[in-house]
Amino acid sequence: MAIELPDELIKLEQAAVQAHEKLLAYQAECGRPTAGDGWTDEQHATWQDLWNAWRAAAEETQAALRSVANRYETEQALKRAVRHPAPEEG
């Protein structure tokens, strides 16, 4: 039985994935922030903003998932649909 995924839930997951990709891209460019890493205050602030955006987007997705009856199965279907979409036939 296929799980019906609401468009809003898909959009929330897409936003979380995009926010995470931005954070990872920044880390690939600048490295990870650690004590004594030589980052400027601006770099730390940018990283923190990206991390906060990812966290907020992920929390929104999780809050929406808490309202579904079959949470585990829905979350797995959502991740497959957004992160590993099936190729379009045609």
Side-chain angles (χ1 to χ4, degrees):
M1 175 173 107
I3 294 178
E4 186 72 27
L5 296 171
D7 288 341
E8 185 58 30
L9 193 54
I10 291 171
K11 288 177 185 175
L12 289 171
E13 179 67 9
Q14 288 171 333
V17 168
Q18 290 170 355
H20 190 230
E21 288 171 353
K22 287 179 183 178
L23 175 64
L24 292 177
Y26 192 76
Q27 287 181 183
E29 179 184 331
C30 299
R32 292 188 57 127
T34 57
D37 58 12
W39 271 26
T40 65
D41 289 343
E42 184 178 335
Q43 286 173 310
H44 276 285
T46 299
W47 182 90
Q48 189 67 52
D49 289 344
L50 291 168
W51 191 88
N52 288 338
W54 171 44
R55 180 177 163 191
E59 286 175 350
E60 272 191 82
T61 303
Q62 289 300 311
L65 282 166
R66 282 192 287 276
S67 68
V68 300
N70 224 349
R71 180 181 176 167
Y72 177 78
E73 289 81 7
T74 301
E75 185 172 6
Q76 296 308 306
L78 179 63
K79 287 180 181 185
R80 277 191 306 275
V82 173
R83 299 176 188 190
H84 310 287
E88 291 185 26
E89 293 183 28

